[in-house]
Amino acid sequence: MSGADPNDTESSAPFSKQIEEASMKFKMSELAVLLALFPGIGIALHAQRPTDIVKWTATITKSTKTSTNVALSATVADGWHVYALSQGTGGPNPLKISVPSGSAFVLKAPVADAGVTKHYDTSFKMETVYYLKTINLNVALEGISAAPPATLPIDVRFQACSDRLCLPPYTAHLSATPKDK
């Protein structure tokens, strides 16, 4: 009788290795088919963080005992956008600027939108308002303590999206410093 004895562990080792390799090739080909059929899976597997997409800076441009102005700026990666302060409800999350509790300052007035793009989005079935490439906002703050601090905390909550996916909303905790530092 020719052939290997199936109970012989020494001669079955190469056979089990062949089965393992074939199984691995099959799994890899399944993954390749999934990636070809659903390109978004590849993006999800190589997920990007909001901080990779949007880079924020906060600079104190004017400060007295009773008021402070902060220039908030951001650069947005190519192919991405950030929903604006004026984005309506029922769709993507609008940009939100706040000062953490316990700070020496509070928001003096609503922050005005500047440089927004408006577009009807079929995914949200509504007009969306967002920023492309750069965001430049002036934030007016009112003092509630005797002396202005050397740095000022500001929180910026935003949602970044591309034409294929939206990242979850994220809050960037910034520290505004005077312009000359």
Side-chain angles (χ1 to χ4, degrees):
M1 181 185 212
S2 66
D5 180 359
N7 296 322
D8 182 1
T9 57
E10 286 183 30
S11 63
S12 67
F15 182 69
S16 65
K17 184 159 177 75
Q18 288 175 343
I19 290 174
E20 185 178 321
E21 287 174 359
S23 175
M24 180 61 85
K25 286 180 185 176
F26 180 74
K27 288 177 185 173
M28 293 302 286
S29 66
E30 282 180 326
L31 179 60
V33 168
L34 283 173
L35 290 175
L37 291 174
F38 304 102
I41 291 175
I43 293 168
L45 292 175
H46 186 305
Q48 294 180 299
R49 298 178 303 228
T51 54
D52 294 336
I53 305 300
V54 184
K55 306 284 185 185
W56 288 97
T57 61
T59 306
I60 297 171
T61 57
K62 179 184 168 191
S63 186
T64 68
K65 287 184 181 181
T66 59
S67 69
T68 293
N69 287 343
V70 174
L72 271 182
S73 300
T75 55
V76 182
D78 287 340
W80 291 85
H81 56 271
V82 171
Y83 289 100
L85 290 161
S86 59
Q87 175 58 54
T89 59
N93 292 282
L95 182 71
K96 181 181 177 192
I97 299 166
S98 61
V99 178
S101 62
S103 175
F105 288 83
V106 294
L107 287 174
K108 188 174 188 175
V111 180
D113 261 338
V116 297
T117 298
K118 292 182 180 185
H119 170 73
Y120 184 83
D121 190 311
T122 56
S123 297
F124 291 112
K125 295 180 176 67
M126 65 184 296
E127 182 174 74
T128 56
V129 185
Y130 53 86
Y131 307 101
L132 290 170
K133 299 187 184 199
T134 60
I135 304 169
N136 293 298
L137 303 169
N138 185 35
V139 181
L141 303 167
E142 185 174 49
I144 56 173
S145 70
T151 63
L152 183 66
I154 294 189
D155 291 341
V156 180
R157 186 160 179 81
F158 65 96
Q159 184 172 22
C161 294
S162 71
D163 63 344
R164 296 194 307 193
L165 71 104
C166 287
L167 299 178
Y170 178 81
T171 302
H173 302 286
L174 308 176
S175 200
T177 56
K179 197 175 195 174
D180 57 321
K181 282 196 176 182

